[in-house]
Amino acid sequence: MIDSSEGYLLGYDLGSSSIKASLLSVNSGEVLASATSPDQEMAMEAPQDGWAEQDPEMWWEHLVKATQALKAKHGTALSQVKAIGISYQMHGLVLVDQNHQVLRPSIIWCDSRAVKIGREASQALGDKYSLGHLLNSPGNFTASKLKWVKENEPDIYKRIYKMMLPGDYAAMKLTGEICTTVSGLSEGIMWDFREQSLAGKLLEYYGINPDFIPTVVPTFADQGNLTKESADHLGLPAGIPVAYRAGDQPNNAWSLNVLEPGEVATTAGTSGVIYGVSDQLDYDPQSRVNTFAHVNYSKQDPRYGILACVNGTGIQNSWLKNNLVGGNSNIDYEAMNLLAAQAPIGSAGVTVLPFGNGAERTLANAEIDAHIHGIKFNNHSQSHILRAAQEGIVFALKYSFDILQGMGMQIRKVKAGRANMFLSPIFREAFANTTGAEVELYNTDGSVGAARGAGVGAGVYADFKEAFAGLKQVGEVVPEPEKQSQYQEAYERWHTLLQQHLASAKAL
């Protein structure tokens, strides 16, 4: 199916920290080049405690800049792009008017303002509907965020033409078309899996006009073509199809060729995630994990992505860099990893709860904040705190891991891209020995996965197998029995501390 002539696929990863663009060779399946914009993390605005917003125009600005950086070095390759794919930060809300102008900043994934709205909806509609039809409680997801706008910003609500997820917005800017996917609607808790349609009962309860929902297109398909105006901004030929879009966690699993029941992916970038694939219409009775339509979901052959998330992952690492080791110093994340390695397993009693980035789904939407415990001024240093912070994220993922195992998922092996926190030897070691799972590392990331997805959607690749010909395993981490007991002891200390804080939060 692959054309013998050279060609490239362009993938974008629209994160809340940065925008990454990657060029993938169609023939070799290898990355020619990648570029990221901005150099520092993009700002998150918090007009009130627990809020998190970003300007969608900022995403577009940095998408353009990342593309132009590729063009500066690989202009010829950009002229041979066959298709474009998009990965994006999940659960955000973007609102536009009839002229496609943004009406307010995007309420992004880690914003907690709609927790109460989602809780009340879940109680009113009941578990039989919420969990049986939506596979999740409405929670703090996109539909609940739109209800918040309806209640609190009626003048903006009256001007809404369409609501979108962040990836839908990026596709609109590229093509001028407003559309979404079943996978995207499911992440916004706007898809009824039993009825195979929009979640009409929830939308009716919220009083949301279903006309706000964009046209639904397949995940892998021609979803619109690059307009001349956008092509001129980007330095690309007009007419290139946008042929794939998916939320960052389904896309991460796709990037790792995690598509079949029992397969599991993990990532630790902006958020930390365990993501398993199932073919069973199942859910956690406490709705501590989320079940979405995976990228290869279909009514005839369903594939569900079961996602457990830790919000305070990348932002914790960034906070430590800027506030503990000094934002203006020469210490980068690699140097922080080296400092962390100077401390022993268990960080000599220092314990970090990494929950300082809004309400946490795995904690039943509790918001307990981040905590550093056990510091002794005569015994501990930066190294102990930095290691405890990495261990704290791993322990939060282990807590999530156990929820998935409790749902019947047997996890003995997980796949991860060699990127973000999985670049840290300490993090990799802690993950394998705390969970007891073997970790396979691969040469991929979100933008590369989006490029591969575009190749499938545009028909450049005949099937999934052909798309993953260039995916290579580049490392492996296996549990070590002598270390597992040490990590288990540290995890039990962490877990006891977590339960104390959860009990305190419930008592308030």
Side-chain angles (χ1 to χ4, degrees):
M1 186 69 180
I2 296 176
D3 190 331
S4 60
S5 63
E6 185 62 285
Y8 297 90
L9 299 164
L10 177 59
Y12 292 113
D13 187 11
L14 181 80
S16 49
S17 298
S18 62
I19 311 298
K20 186 172 184 180
S22 289
L23 269 174
L24 187 76
S25 167
V26 169
N27 288 325
S28 71
E30 295 181 353
V31 178
L32 173 67
S34 296
T36 301
S37 183
D39 294 333
Q40 302 296 321
E41 287 92 348
M42 290 188 294
M44 273 185 210
E45 301 299 329
Q48 293 189 34
D49 186 36
W51 291 19
E53 299 181 346
Q54 287 184 322
D55 181 1
E57 288 292 341
M58 176 178 66
W59 304 335
W60 175 247
E61 172 192 345
H62 290 296
L63 186 150
V64 171
K65 287 182 177 178
T67 311
Q68 290 174 342
L70 287 178
K71 183 175 176 61
K73 293 185 177 180
H74 301 282
T76 301
L78 276 183
S79 70
Q80 300 175 50
V81 169
K82 306 294 187 183
I84 297 170
I86 301 168
S87 168
Y88 61 90
Q89 52 170 298
M90 298 171 72
H91 314 307
L93 174 67
V94 181
L95 302 173
V96 298
D97 64 17
Q98 286 190 321
N99 297 316
H100 295 189
Q101 297 301 304
V102 174
L103 293 172
R104 69 169 329 281
S106 174
I107 303 175
I108 65 171
W109 60 281
C110 54
D111 186 291
S112 301
R113 76 185 72 183
V115 168
K116 183 173 182 288
I117 289 171
R119 185 183 301 121
E120 290 174 349
S122 183
Q123 291 168 350
L125 297 170
D127 286 348
K128 184 177 180 180
Y129 173 74
S130 294
L131 301 182
H133 286 252
L134 310 178
L135 304 188
N136 305 275
S137 67
N140 187 42
F141 292 114
T142 313
S144 300
K145 291 167 181 171
L146 182 54
K147 171 64 171 173
W148 183 93
V149 173
K150 185 175 189 289
E151 288 186 349
N152 294 275
E153 298 175 345
D155 290 342
I156 288 175
Y157 188 84
K158 290 176 185 176
R159 297 167 58 199
I160 295 172
Y161 171 60
K162 294 293 180 183
M163 61 76 57
M164 289 180 284
L165 298 158
D168 302 333
Y169 169 80
M172 181 198 77
K173 293 291 287 185
L174 291 167
T175 68
E177 303 288 337
I178 299 180
C179 49
T180 192
T181 65
V182 168
S183 182
L185 290 174
S186 74
E187 78 179 61
I189 318 303
M190 292 180 284
W191 186 255
D192 187 320
F193 285 92
R194 298 283 182 190
E195 301 296 331
Q196 290 293 309
S197 65
L198 283 178
K201 188 174 179 179
L202 176 65
L203 295 178
E204 181 180 1
Y205 172 79
Y206 277 162
I208 291 171
N209 185 348
D211 291 342
F212 290 168
I213 309 301
T215 301
V216 178
V217 297
T219 296
F220 301 92
D222 187 335
Q223 303 169 358
N225 298 310
L226 188 63
T227 65
K228 184 178 187 308
E229 180 182 1
S230 294
D232 290 344
H233 281 298
L234 296 165
L236 292 167
I240 299 170
V242 172
Y244 169 87
R245 81 184 71 181
D248 52 12
Q249 298 311 326
N251 178 72
N252 179 66
W254 155 257
S255 303
L256 294 159
N257 198 15
V258 169
L259 297 167
E260 297 305 321
E263 296 179 338
V264 180
T266 186
T267 184
T270 302
S271 57
V273 166
I274 307 287
Y275 187 102
V277 178
S278 173
D279 58 358
Q280 301 299 308
L281 196 64
D282 204 359
Y283 53 84
D284 171 46
Q286 299 180 54
S287 200
R288 294 168 297 171
V289 299
N290 314 124
T291 303
F292 306 126
H294 194 30
V295 295
N296 57 336
Y297 173 88
S298 69
K299 181 180 179 180
Q300 297 75 23
D301 197 14
R303 293 292 182 268
Y304 306 98
I306 304 174
L307 183 154
C309 179
V310 180
N311 291 347
T313 302
I315 196 171
Q316 175 182 269
N317 223 22
S318 174
W319 187 91
L320 290 168
K321 182 178 184 295
N322 292 328
N323 295 281
L324 181 67
V325 302
N328 296 321
S329 72
N330 293 321
I331 298 181
D332 58 14
Y333 291 123
E334 184 176 358
M336 288 168 62
N337 293 338
L338 293 173
L339 278 171
Q342 295 176 14
I345 295 172
S347 308
V350 178
T351 302
V352 171
L353 298 179
F355 301 118
N357 197 24
E360 292 282 353
R361 188 75 168 189
T362 55
L363 306 183
N365 283 323
E367 191 167 357
I368 65 172
D369 301 327
H371 300 270
I372 304 175
H373 286 263
I375 293 177
K376 299 183 186 302
F377 297 133
N378 292 325
N379 298 342
H380 297 130
S381 64
Q382 275 185 352
S383 297
H384 297 91
I385 296 173
L386 291 173
R387 178 161 192 144
Q390 292 199 25
E391 291 179 343
I393 294 168
V394 167
F395 296 159
L397 289 170
K398 160 66 173 171
Y399 186 83
S400 304
F401 195 94
D402 289 347
I403 295 172
L404 266 63
Q405 299 246 72
M407 293 174 65
M409 187 168 288
Q410 300 301 312
I411 308 175
R412 297 180 178 85
K413 179 173 68 177
V414 299
K415 295 181 179 181
R418 191 174 181 126
N420 301 312
M421 296 202 72
F422 277 95
L423 291 170
S424 166
I426 292 297
F427 190 87
R428 298 195 300 262
E429 173 193 290
F431 185 94
N433 286 291
T434 301
T435 64
E438 177 184 323
V439 180
E440 292 181 354
L441 299 168
Y442 289 85
N443 63 333
T444 191
D445 62 20
S447 60
V448 175
R452 284 200 169 95
V456 173
V460 174
Y461 295 128
D463 51 30
F464 291 167
K465 182 178 179 181
E466 190 171 86
F468 285 107
L471 183 67
K472 306 296 182 186
Q473 185 175 340
V474 293
E476 181 180 69
V477 187
V478 297
E480 303 172 69
E482 65 275 13
K483 292 182 178 179
Q484 283 186 271
S485 61
Q486 297 177 68
Y487 279 108
Q488 182 61 33
E489 180 181 346
Y491 174 71
E492 289 172 0
R493 182 175 70 245
W494 180 94
H495 187 265
T496 298
L497 191 60
L498 172 63
Q499 294 305 312
Q500 291 171 358
H501 280 277
L502 286 173
S504 296
K506 289 179 182 177
L508 293 177

